[in-house]
Amino acid sequence: MAQLQLFAKLKEIVGDANYHDVPDQMARFLEEPRGLYTKGAQCAVTPTTVEMVQKVMQFAYQNEISVVPQGGNTGLVGGQVPAMGNEIVLSLVKMKQVRDVDPSTNVMTLEAGVTVLDAQKHAEEANRLFPLSLGSEGTCQIGGILSTNAGGTAVLAYGNSRDLCMGVEAVLADGRIYNGLSKLRKDNTGYDLKDLLVGAEGTLGIITAASLKMFPRPRTFETALLNIASPQVGVDIFELVRERAGNRLTSFELLPTIGMDLQLKHNLINRDPRATETPTGWHILLELSLFEGDHDGALLAILEDLFEREWVADASLCNSVADRQLMWLMRENYAECQKREAQAIKHDISVAIRDIPTLIEQVDAVAEEILPGIRSIAFGHMGDGNIHYDFLAPIDFEGDLREIAPAIHDATYEILAKLNGSISAEHGIGQLKRDLLAQKKDPTALDMMKSIKLALDPKNILNPGKVVSP
Ligand SMILES: Cc1cc2nc3c(=O)[nH]c(=O)nc-3n(C[C@H](O)[C@H](O)[C@H](O)COP(=O)(O)OP(=O)(O)OC[C@H]3O[C@@H](n4cnc5c(N)ncnc54)[C@H](O)[C@@H]3O)c2cc1C
């Protein structure tokens, strides 16, 4: 009875339309993309203003009820869904106000529930670019990408979400509002609190709005898919293109050819984007952004050099918007084609770019020893040193790949440690890598993280069971 009265009070705070506890309504807040976590929740709330978020947190703090902040629910490590089953899910989906778009300072201030796609459109309406771009951009939200410090395909030129953020407004565990929205490019007034909240995965505060950087819009893009012999050639090409194109180089993605074979097999693309005369096992998808004053044909000139050096066996250069769309669709389909093909084991890891060939050579070899015939799909943001290192079950495999997964994970993380890499390049820690973080992170760094968590969330009510336990 007391419990019922308690939650009736919460319903009163947010209003009937923003309170959800019927199983049918709850499913969308509880099911996550990988289907790994299935805990329930007391209820979900969808506040519409920062003041409403504040009241929910005051309620939660007083009653010591845990809160799971949720954005677009596209996270891949289970951070946005309950870890215990008795939490309140607080979704920012209704906080979509555009507070300000200011082309003179190149800053826009958006509420946390605005999707990345809409953020791109708001910038475009002001003839500016918001450069963050990722496969989930139609659904993931500003609060979510900041809380995970998401990367995407343009990190090379513009940095990750942290680099695109100038300040945040957030509600703390006890309901206080931190107003750190800023348009200042210089502000050395003590600890960088924005950078604490960015990447905290909802464990230190609830981001309700952010001021974000905008950039000049490129006049055009030049995009090509290169056929290359090995990841080592990819590294050599990266160094040369980076030197020649500087910040015009926006994307540099490593793609094994198996991913395109699978996409054709499962009808995810309607034509082969590869140059097919000289097939190779590996590809680079690279893109230059050209601005007013830049000459067309910059990529072609670089390609001529690459052919002369015999680093590229063949290449497919985009000649139309449709060609470019196909290339990026193909790139984004690398996760989906695995889902359609077979059971998979996944890693999101990073190393120094020069170590990528060693990483792939060593991890592939050990995986083959563990399960002969296992199919490696090591792809991703090579220019950032970030590889989505996945494995598919062998053809005709009839076992359960989850039984093999621990051995593959251990071997991969052992090699990664020797290369001083990171166990999570861009997806974060969430529930999936919480225990791994405790094993792999430097103990002093872990202690510092726990102290910060305890100071900002002494009752441990913000997203418990994620990232670190105080
Ligand atoms: C098809 C696909 C492609 C993807 N591609 C990429 C990629 O290229 N690069 C990349 O980095 N990620 C990628 N992701 C992962 C995911 O989209 C990102 O992690 C994204 O940043 C999550 O945003 P979201 O709004 O969906 O947040 P959610 O999934 O809802 O939440 C993610 C985390 O942030 C917290 N959180 C959410 N909103 C707030 C808030 N307002 N305040 C405080 N905490 C909050 C949650 O508690 C959770 O811990 C991809 C995912 C999919 C499904």
Side-chain angles (χ1 to χ4, degrees):
M1 182 60 185
Q3 189 80 344
L4 276 181
Q5 278 169 351
L6 195 62
F7 282 90
K9 171 91 182 118
L10 179 61
K11 196 174 193 173
E12 213 178 286
I13 290 172
V14 294
D16 286 2
N18 300 316
Y19 185 89
H20 318 273
D21 61 355
V22 179
D24 267 8
Q25 301 169 348
M26 296 277 286
R28 71 183 173 115
F29 300 107
L30 299 176
E31 290 165 7
E32 47 83 28
R34 286 200 168 150
L36 295 175
Y37 304 99
T38 53
K39 287 272 162 59
Q42 299 273 8
C43 63
V45 293
T46 48
T48 53
T49 62
V50 60
E51 291 77 19
M52 211 185 271
V53 176
Q54 175 175 48
K55 285 186 185 144
V56 174
M57 286 316 301
Q58 285 166 342
F59 166 88
Y61 191 75
Q62 266 167 19
N63 296 293
E64 300 199 13
I65 300 173
S66 298
V67 173
V68 181
Q70 189 176 91
N73 191 7
T74 66
L76 297 174
V77 291
Q80 73 279 18
V81 289
M84 347 269 266
N86 59 359
E87 298 97 319
I88 299 168
V89 175
L90 189 156
S91 164
L92 282 295
V93 70
K94 290 191 183 168
M95 290 196 58
K96 289 191 179 298
Q97 293 290 321
V98 177
R99 296 203 189 156
D100 185 34
V101 179
D102 181 358
S104 68
T105 53
N106 277 331
V107 179
M108 61 179 172
T109 305
L110 306 179
E111 287 194 344
V114 173
T115 64
V116 168
L117 191 64
D118 283 342
Q120 292 167 0
K121 286 180 189 159
H122 294 311
E124 198 176 325
E125 282 159 15
N127 194 26
R128 293 290 184 273
L129 173 78
F130 180 61
L132 187 74
S133 177
L134 64 173
S136 53
E137 64 195 22
T139 315
C140 68
Q141 302 173 0
I142 295 305
I145 55 112
L146 291 177
S147 298
T148 56
N149 187 25
T153 51
V155 171
L156 261 179
Y158 300 100
N160 48 31
S161 297
R162 186 187 298 286
D163 302 303
L164 301 176
C165 178
M166 301 192 68
V168 296
E169 172 192 88
V171 177
L172 303 184
D174 59 8
R176 279 177 298 161
I177 297 176
Y178 162 64
N179 186 350
L181 292 174
S182 170
K183 288 186 180 180
L184 304 177
R185 296 207 175 237
K186 289 191 163 182
D187 177 16
N188 284 345
T189 52
Y191 304 145
D192 194 330
L193 301 173
K194 177 265 287 184
D195 270 346
L196 264 187
L197 290 156
V198 171
E201 300 183 43
T203 60
L204 299 180
I206 298 179
I207 295 175
T208 47
S211 38
L212 301 162
K213 291 181 194 168
M214 299 187 293
F215 296 83
R217 284 172 61 69
R219 177 177 59 77
T220 189
F221 302 99
E222 293 187 344
T223 312
L225 184 65
L226 317 181
N227 293 11
I228 58 165
S230 67
Q232 180 57 55
V233 179
V235 174
D236 297 339
I237 293 176
F238 175 73
E239 282 170 14
L240 185 133
V241 180
R242 184 73 158 169
E243 198 181 299
R244 296 273 296 271
N247 269 2
R248 303 289 187 272
L249 176 60
T250 322
S251 306
F252 195 94
E253 305 283 307
L254 177 71
L255 301 169
T257 214
I258 178 181
M260 284 171 247
D261 293 340
L262 292 177
Q263 292 184 43
L264 289 166
K265 174 179 169 188
H266 295 290
N267 298 317
L268 287 166
I269 44 176
N270 56 16
R271 68 185 158 92
D272 195 338
R274 293 167 287 196
T276 47
E277 271 184 26
T278 319
T280 52
W282 293 92
H283 303 270
I284 294 293
L285 174 59
L286 73 91
E287 183 160 282
L288 305 189
S289 300
L290 299 186
F291 297 85
E292 290 308 330
D294 289 341
H295 296 297
D296 288 346
L299 183 54
L300 197 58
I302 293 172
L303 282 184
E304 280 167 9
D305 192 351
L306 296 178
F307 276 114
E308 239 167 64
R309 290 168 190 254
E310 297 186 355
W311 286 358
V312 170
D314 211 341
S316 169
L317 194 62
C318 292
N319 289 315
S320 65
V321 173
D323 282 356
R324 179 172 179 252
Q325 279 170 346
L326 174 69
M327 289 296 180
W328 284 108
L329 174 70
M330 171 276 287
R331 165 62 187 86
E332 296 309 344
N333 279 338
Y334 261 71
E336 184 59 30
C337 67
Q338 296 179 52
K339 248 191 217 169
R340 305 233 181 147
E341 174 68 7
Q343 305 166 59
I345 298 173
K346 291 174 179 282
H347 309 90
D348 161 43
I349 54 183
S350 64
V351 290
I353 298 170
R354 65 169 185 280
D355 290 330
I356 288 177
T358 311
L359 175 80
I360 293 178
E361 192 186 316
Q362 294 188 0
V363 173
D364 272 10
V366 81
E368 176 64 24
E369 263 174 40
I370 294 170
L371 181 62
I374 197 165
R375 290 175 284 171
S376 160
I377 306 198
F379 71 99
H381 317 300
M382 184 180 221
D384 311 329
N386 175 192
I387 298 296
H388 298 306
Y389 211 135
D390 299 346
F391 288 97
L392 279 179
I395 295 167
D396 299 332
F397 180 72
E398 285 178 359
D400 185 345
L401 203 63
R402 283 173 301 186
E403 287 169 11
I404 313 289
I408 301 271
H409 289 318
D410 287 352
T412 304
Y413 292 130
E414 197 179 311
I415 293 166
L416 190 66
K418 287 190 188 134
L419 295 171
N420 294 317
S422 167
I423 57 162
S424 180
E426 60 176 10
H427 296 158
I429 299 299
Q431 303 184 57
L432 187 70
K433 293 185 178 173
R434 185 195 49 207
D435 296 341
L436 188 65
L437 184 80
Q439 291 164 28
K440 304 284 180 189
K441 188 99 178 165
D442 168 67
T444 307
L446 265 184
D447 278 351
M448 289 167 73
M449 285 168 67
K450 287 178 184 175
S451 305
I452 292 166
K453 170 74 176 163
L454 209 57
L456 288 183
D457 181 15
K459 295 186 180 177
N460 192 24
I461 58 166
L462 268 175
N463 225 0
K466 321 286 170 62
V467 190
V468 280
S469 302

